[in-house]
Amino acid sequence: MKRLFILLLVILPTLAFAQKARIEFTKTTHHFGVIPEQGGKAVYDFIFKNIGTAPLVLTNVRTGCGCAVPEWSRKPVVPGGNGAIRVYFDPRNRPGNFVKSIAVNSNAANSVVTLTIRGKVQHQPAGPYEGYDYSVGDVKFTQLKFDLDDIMNTQKIEQKIKIIHSGKEPVKITMDNLPPHISAKVNPEILHHKEKGEISLIYDAGLKNDWGYVSDNININVNGTAQGTLTLSANINEDFDFYEGNYDKAPVIQLPDEEANLKNLPPDGKATHSFFIQNNGRSDLIFRKVKGSEEDVHIHLGRHCIKPGKKIKVSVSFNTPAEGQVTKLIQFTTNDPENPISLYKINGQIK
């Protein structure tokens, strides 16, 4: 009996580790070489692969300064899948050698990985349009893409963009197809040669009424003609501050397992799978958002609210390939403060 207990102590941690994601980068260091100070942002993609057996989620990617900005997807990466972290380095006002580190946090077994970029910035005299790296017609912008990163559903965020007119004739700048949660003001609306202006944007996460990673595109019109697009993205999280850290009366989501393994699925057809979700907490569990990893994943909930101690049935249907295996992921966003995002994985073997 004692030997069996010791054997379990050895095997169980190994099995638990085997069900984890694991991130592996093609390379963790990149040398840009010599880049001009006024040549615009240098860009590099760090490619990685999930070599583990569970979905990989990048929870955060951080740099030590504002000159290096990372961009990455919040979507789960299935086992065997690939992804990339794009890093922008802004050489303006930074002549000389540079070395910057990027910390990558994830749910992987190797939960923290450090990436490094290095190079040398060649000093150049500043031109009249220094810092205005993006053009829409004859108008230059300091930025055309904003990642608001993690924000609460109760927040309002203001961002400002500097603009300058590089053409000869006066131009009028307007913005249309604005959704209700974004407001924009251009000052001044009409720009003359080499005149500078500003666009003020206000993003209201409460009016967005969405959760997780979201993105909006706004048309930029020059003299009434759409000539460019401004993109705003954010990762909207629920504000749980009202609990004040005490979750005794909060809802608790309970999935049957983290994944299901289905066999003998029909080739080149449609498969279905059902399971139950239970609320083990002491207040109503509310589904804020339910999303499949691909467009062919259709999810039906018995209800969008589960009373304490109750459960609902979840039905899933998806397309199957002609042969081989299939993997689908379902992401549940709920008002469970300790597990606001839960993942369920479906593995299928074609018969």
Side-chain angles (χ1 to χ4, degrees):
M1 187 67 178
K2 185 177 180 181
R3 289 183 179 179
L4 177 61
F5 178 73
I6 294 174
L7 184 61
L8 288 173
L9 287 179
V10 174
I11 293 175
L12 288 179
T14 304
L15 291 175
F17 178 81
Q19 293 302 310
K20 273 185 168 286
R22 189 167 186 84
I23 189 169
E24 181 181 77
F25 284 86
T26 303
K27 55 184 292 191
T28 56
T29 300
H30 177 69
H31 202 302
F32 283 109
V34 179
I35 56 177
E37 186 177 6
Q38 308 304 327
K41 295 179 182 178
V43 183
Y44 183 74
D45 289 341
F46 286 97
I47 307 298
F48 64 84
K49 183 176 183 178
N50 179 7
I51 61 172
T53 56
L56 170 69
V57 179
L58 301 186
T59 54
N60 199 8
V61 181
R62 295 169 290 113
T63 61
C65 77
C67 61
V69 178
E71 185 179 273
W72 73 99
S73 173
R74 272 76 171 178
K75 293 183 179 180
V77 179
V78 299
N82 297 305
I85 296 174
R86 176 164 291 183
V87 180
Y88 298 86
F89 176 75
D90 190 345
R92 291 175 300 172
N93 304 317
R94 294 180 176 87
N97 295 317
F98 67 89
V99 179
K100 302 296 177 183
S101 296
I102 303 99
V104 180
N105 298 88
S106 71
N107 67 332
N110 51 334
S111 59
V112 181
V113 177
T114 300
L115 308 176
T116 304
I117 57 172
R118 62 182 73 238
K120 182 178 181 180
V121 177
Q122 183 70 47
H123 176 67
Q124 291 177 312
Y129 305 118
E130 178 189 2
Y132 298 86
D133 300 328
Y134 305 92
S135 297
V136 177
D138 289 332
V139 181
K140 293 185 175 294
F141 290 67
T142 54
Q143 204 164 347
L144 285 177
K145 181 181 288 187
F146 283 102
D147 187 350
L148 304 179
D149 207 357
D150 291 312
I151 64 174
M152 296 298 178
N153 64 310
T154 53
Q155 282 185 281
K156 283 185 179 180
I157 306 292
E158 183 176 11
Q159 296 285 353
K160 293 185 177 181
I161 308 169
K162 302 293 184 181
I163 57 177
I164 187 171
H165 182 29
S166 62
K168 299 298 183 182
E169 300 298 323
V171 293
K172 182 177 182 180
I173 308 298
T174 56
M175 309 183 82
D176 64 15
N177 78 310
L178 286 167
H181 60 282
I182 298 176
S183 60
K185 183 178 181 181
V186 183
N187 184 33
E189 283 192 352
I190 298 178
L191 290 174
H192 297 83
H193 179 54
K194 290 189 178 180
E195 184 179 8
K196 295 181 179 180
E198 183 179 82
I199 299 176
S200 176
L201 300 161
I202 297 179
Y203 188 99
D204 189 331
L207 291 179
K208 176 64 175 176
N209 194 29
D210 203 347
W211 310 88
Y213 182 73
V214 293
S215 181
D216 294 279
N217 293 320
I218 302 170
N219 289 338
I220 302 173
N221 301 320
V222 180
N223 291 334
T225 303
Q227 296 191 22
T229 303
L230 176 67
T231 301
L232 281 85
S233 59
N235 192 47
I236 302 178
N237 302 299
E238 187 154 358
D239 189 348
F240 294 112
D241 285 349
F242 65 91
Y243 282 111
E244 297 181 344
N246 183 4
Y247 301 138
D248 289 346
K249 296 183 179 180
V252 177
I253 188 171
Q254 178 63 55
L255 295 173
D257 291 294
E258 290 186 356
E259 63 181 63
N261 294 294
L262 310 180
K263 296 181 180 180
N264 298 321
L265 297 181
D268 200 18
K270 188 173 288 291
T272 59
H273 173 64
S274 297
F275 58 95
F276 289 89
I277 294 179
Q278 183 163 319
N279 179 8
N280 289 339
R282 299 175 63 186
S283 60
D284 290 355
L285 177 71
I286 301 171
F287 290 87
R288 303 300 193 190
K289 190 174 184 179
V290 181
K291 187 177 181 181
S293 56
E294 298 165 54
E295 292 184 358
D296 71 304
V297 180
H298 300 285
I299 308 148
H300 175 73
L301 300 180
R303 293 186 304 277
H304 280 77
C305 177
I306 311 178
K307 295 293 182 182
K310 302 296 183 180
K311 60 184 178 181
I312 64 165
K313 184 178 181 180
V314 181
S315 299
V316 183
S317 64
F318 53 90
N319 297 334
T320 58
E323 58 183 1
Q325 296 179 331
V326 61
T327 298
K328 303 294 181 181
L329 296 175
I330 304 171
Q331 180 173 291
F332 297 96
T333 304
T334 69
N335 64 331
D336 178 345
E338 295 195 278
N339 293 288
I341 296 178
S342 302
L343 290 175
Y344 187 74
K345 178 183 175 184
I346 300 175
N347 297 313
Q349 179 68 47
I350 308 303
K351 62 182 178 182

